[in-house]
Amino acid sequence: MKTLNYYLFESPLTKGKFMARTILVNNYTDQQLIDEMKKKNNGISETGVRETLKLMVETARELLAQGISVNVPGFLKISPSVKGSFDTADESFNPARHWVGINCTVSSAFVEDFQKDVTVERSSRPKNWPDIISVTDTETGESYLQTEYATQIIGENLLSVEYELDAVILASRTDENQIAIIERDMLGVVSHKAKELIFTIRKSFIVPAWL
């Protein structure tokens, strides 16, 4: 039985109420995932696993582009979707306001099996975890992320000058299970200091709908 640690913080939407945030201890690369798989089955080939994963990703992408959803029983379902707000019923797709995204739903059976494998324990908030105060698109001034324009994040304990930025990880205010990870290769850091980070995001990054 594994243990998940969490800490409580005051809800930004309901004062006096608290929400739980899970403390992640690591973020595995594909190599680390394959290493863990080989521990369970040492007979599988790393090359074979990599080729299978690559084939799965390529095939799923091609199917989604045809309007076909993909369901992996006991794991997840992904489907293509058009995102953004349309002002009228006749409005056409405008790349400046709309985008193509992917919906992902985790299988209830997978979640139930996961829940059986873990216990939870309350802990204190890690000192180096940021409390984000605001996220602002510097082009529009709006509080959302937009690719190609500079985005400003202001928060307590956000960064120190010695910190090497590997990724920006953002969580939904209303649902802590909604996580967006913007990896280093998707970022163009403009400037960063103790309580402020300004960066651009590559156009190829898919911004989750909740952001």
Side-chain angles (χ1 to χ4, degrees):
M1 186 74 72
K2 305 295 190 300
T3 299
L4 286 177
N5 291 312
Y6 69 95
Y7 67 91
L8 299 179
F9 65 102
E10 189 170 5
S11 169
L13 300 179
T14 308
K15 296 302 180 183
K17 299 294 183 179
F18 292 82
M19 300 174 64
R21 176 170 290 157
T22 305
I23 299 175
L24 302 179
V25 298
N26 208 331
N27 178 32
Y28 270 21
T29 64
D30 59 340
Q31 182 61 59
Q32 289 170 305
L33 174 61
I34 292 173
D35 290 343
E36 290 297 316
M37 293 171 65
K38 287 183 66 63
K39 289 180 183 178
K40 291 183 174 296
N41 183 352
N42 198 38
I44 62 176
S45 161
E46 177 175 332
T47 300
V49 173
R50 286 188 176 279
E51 290 177 350
T52 300
L53 291 175
K54 181 180 178 181
L55 179 61
M56 180 183 69
V57 171
E58 292 176 350
T59 304
R61 186 174 64 243
E62 291 172 358
L63 292 173
L64 291 171
Q66 300 174 54
I68 301 172
S69 65
V70 178
N71 183 21
V72 182
F75 187 29
L76 55 78
K77 178 181 179 179
I78 55 177
S79 58
S81 63
V82 175
K83 307 286 188 178
S85 176
F86 294 80
D87 294 331
T88 68
D90 298 325
E91 183 179 357
S92 298
F93 184 91
N94 181 351
R97 300 183 56 201
H98 313 123
W99 65 97
V100 176
I102 297 174
N103 292 329
C104 178
T105 304
V106 179
S107 161
S108 59
F110 183 87
V111 174
E112 290 169 3
D113 288 341
F114 166 72
Q115 292 170 338
K116 296 174 184 176
D117 290 339
V118 299
T119 60
V120 294
E121 183 177 314
R122 187 166 63 86
S123 180
S124 58
R125 172 184 174 275
K127 292 182 178 180
N128 63 339
W129 277 40
D131 284 331
I132 294 177
I133 297 171
S134 68
V135 177
T136 305
D137 185 310
T138 59
E139 176 74 10
T140 65
E142 297 292 331
S143 296
Y144 60 81
L145 297 181
Q146 183 168 307
T147 57
E148 296 189 291
Y149 296 113
T151 298
Q152 177 191 53
I153 292 182
I154 297 177
E156 296 295 333
N157 305 313
L158 189 59
L159 291 171
S160 65
V161 290
E162 297 86 7
Y163 187 81
E164 183 177 350
L165 187 64
D166 290 323
V168 170
I169 304 177
L170 300 176
S172 166
R173 275 185 159 186
T174 56
D175 184 353
E176 290 303 306
N177 293 315
Q178 291 179 314
I179 300 291
I181 301 177
I182 311 174
E183 301 284 358
R184 178 191 297 174
D185 60 355
M186 285 289 169
L187 293 172
V189 176
V190 178
S191 68
H192 65 84
K193 47 190 177 183
K195 296 185 180 181
E196 179 186 81
L197 169 66
I198 298 179
F199 60 92
T200 59
I201 310 173
R202 293 185 184 276
K203 189 175 182 179
S204 55
F205 176 75
I206 299 175
V207 181
W210 58 269
L211 277 174

